Amino acid sequence: MKLQRMNRRAIALGAIAASSALVLTACGSDDTSGGGSGSSASATGAASSIKCDNAKGQLLSDGSSAQKNAIDAWVAQFSKACGVQINYKAGGSGAGVTSFTQGQLAFAGSDSALKPEEVTASKKVCSGGQGIDLPMVGGPIAVGYNLSGVDNLVLDAKTLAEIFDSKITKWNDPAIKKLNPSAKLPDLKIQAFHRSDESGTTDNFTKYLKATAPNDWKYSGGKAWQAKGGQSAAQSSGVAAQVKQTNGAIGYFELSYVADGMKAVSINTGASAPVAPSSDSASKAIADAKVVGTGKDLSLELNYATKADGAYPITLVTYEIACDKGNKADTLPATKAFLRYIASEDGQNVLSGLKYAPIPADIIAKVRTTIEGLS
């Protein structure tokens, strides 16, 4: 009996030791840099690769709904590793930038770079500094549609501009037939959905229309929808939900929102073949981007009019916006640790599995360097 009790005690102590080792492995592997090389994590963004660096407390953030699925995956891993609670509202790029410039957020997400007046406003909350754009998430803006009996649909910039400006109103319009000679297009009204809230997705989608169909899209563009007609819904998830439940519907949102009940349009860009949205086709387009920001700002200029084979032209880049200097002292360690992780190789590897596109290597390298200098 005495020997049995000693054996049971030894087993229990061994279990406690093993459990403690697991906890230390999960949360204490701070010697593995979030910068990429030498990380032990897999492409799932395992928590063991995250460098917490005294991160603690809570972070409040808001902005782009385009990146919500990526943020959700990142937050799950980061919170598991560091115990920091991150509340990302995904209320839209406009709401995120406004809240950031009012000093309400640790960082914001936006699918459009800060405008000059927004940079000026940020200086009031970034003591001695200003808000800067850090490109973090790339991806295609899919044009999703729900049309019974039509599994493959090709459109071009001109037809898209006319559809979303209520000038093409039937699915069997001659312009659509010409692009889809073998499709059985019904005599059905087109139900075009756009964003009701201020949105970087809208900004990028309309920039594409302006760049490629200037004679058919006469609006100035921006985060607020300007064309007449159509129907609206809040956030990418809202537009996607409306398209999914409405036969004859079409709308624009990130590829990660394309789900059962809808398909994504392939775009005739003038290349050798129409291009479908994917992580790879978006990456080919984003690789053409140029850094146009000054100082520590890394805002990009995208080539929406690309005709390169396999390059999907309707793309966006979501920026995380933070102060280069003057970040709040109580949230700075957690903000830097989180941004360091999502810019790391492991963080970026999460994106392709969620139908986003990682930021090109030369650009994300600059992002990593900039994050280390945040103060």
Side-chain angles (χ1 to χ4, degrees):
M1 289 294 291
K2 183 176 181 180
L3 180 61
Q4 290 175 345
R5 284 196 299 271
M6 291 176 63
N7 286 340
R8 286 197 296 268
R9 183 182 181 192
I11 292 170
L13 289 171
I16 291 171
S19 176
S20 299
L22 288 172
V23 171
L24 289 171
T25 301
C27 298
S29 299
D30 287 356
D31 60 336
T32 54
S33 170
S37 62
S39 170
S40 62
S42 69
T44 60
S48 61
S49 72
I50 299 171
K51 188 174 182 179
C52 297
D53 270 358
N54 299 316
K56 59 183 179 180
Q58 298 181 0
L59 293 181
L60 179 62
S61 184
D62 192 6
S64 164
S65 64
Q67 68 169 353
K68 183 180 185 300
N69 293 334
I71 289 285
D72 286 348
W74 283 331
V75 166
Q77 293 295 336
F78 184 77
S79 296
K80 178 182 177 182
C82 300
V84 175
Q85 180 182 345
I86 299 177
N87 181 4
Y88 184 78
K89 292 184 178 180
S93 297
V97 171
T98 297
S99 294
F100 178 79
T101 57
Q102 292 175 348
Q104 299 174 10
L105 308 176
F107 69 94
S110 177
D111 306 321
S112 300
L114 291 169
K115 296 178 181 178
E117 61 269 26
E118 293 168 339
V119 173
T120 299
S122 73
K123 292 180 180 180
K124 297 178 181 178
V125 297
C126 299
S127 179
Q130 66 179 50
I132 57 171
D133 300 288
L134 301 172
M136 203 69 74
V137 182
I141 300 174
V143 180
Y145 72 97
N146 179 352
L147 192 58
S148 296
V150 180
D151 292 330
N152 296 289
L153 184 68
V154 175
L155 297 174
D156 58 13
K158 179 178 176 62
T159 54
L160 282 172
E162 293 185 336
I163 285 170
F164 282 94
D165 200 21
S166 302
K167 293 176 180 176
I168 292 178
T169 59
K170 291 288 189 73
W171 279 109
N172 62 349
D173 187 278
I176 301 178
K177 281 186 173 182
K178 185 177 180 180
L179 290 165
N180 301 273
S182 62
K184 295 181 179 179
L185 298 167
D187 182 14
L188 180 67
K189 181 181 177 181
I190 296 174
Q191 306 276 356
F193 286 89
H194 58 265
R195 289 281 289 272
S196 60
D197 53 323
E198 289 200 355
S199 160
T201 309
T202 292
D203 191 16
N204 284 275
F205 180 62
T206 55
K207 280 179 180 176
Y208 161 75
L209 296 177
K210 285 175 60 181
T212 54
N215 294 328
D216 302 287
W217 193 260
K218 301 291 188 179
Y219 304 97
S220 61
K223 294 176 184 175
W225 183 258
Q226 297 173 325
K228 299 176 182 178
Q231 302 177 65
S232 65
Q235 304 176 7
S236 292
S237 57
V239 175
Q242 291 297 322
V243 173
K244 183 177 179 179
Q245 68 186 20
T246 308
N247 186 38
I250 189 169
Y252 59 92
F253 32 79
E254 293 66 43
L255 183 60
S256 60
Y257 288 95
V258 175
D260 293 341
M262 66 176 110
K263 305 287 184 180
V265 171
S266 292
I267 304 298
N268 183 343
T269 65
S272 62
V275 185
S278 70
S279 294
D280 288 342
S281 62
S283 291
K284 288 181 180 178
I286 295 171
D288 254 353
K290 298 178 181 179
V291 175
V292 294
T294 58
K296 294 183 179 180
D297 186 86
L298 297 173
S299 57
L300 304 176
E301 182 178 82
L302 299 173
N303 180 12
Y304 298 100
T306 181
K307 294 183 179 180
D309 284 345
Y312 183 79
I314 318 177
T315 58
L316 61 74
V317 169
T318 297
Y319 301 95
E320 312 311 331
I321 297 169
C323 299
D324 58 354
K325 297 179 182 178
N327 289 279
K328 294 178 181 178
D330 58 338
T331 57
L332 177 59
T335 298
K336 287 184 69 170
F338 182 67
L339 295 178
R340 180 187 295 118
Y341 162 57
I342 67 179
S344 72
E345 183 176 326
D346 292 316
Q348 288 289 297
N349 282 345
V350 170
L351 295 175
S352 295
L354 297 173
K355 300 182 180 179
Y356 295 104
I359 300 299
D362 58 335
I363 298 174
I364 202 66
K366 295 177 181 177
V367 172
R368 292 169 186 156
T369 299
T370 302
I371 290 170
E372 296 307 319
L374 297 181
S375 63

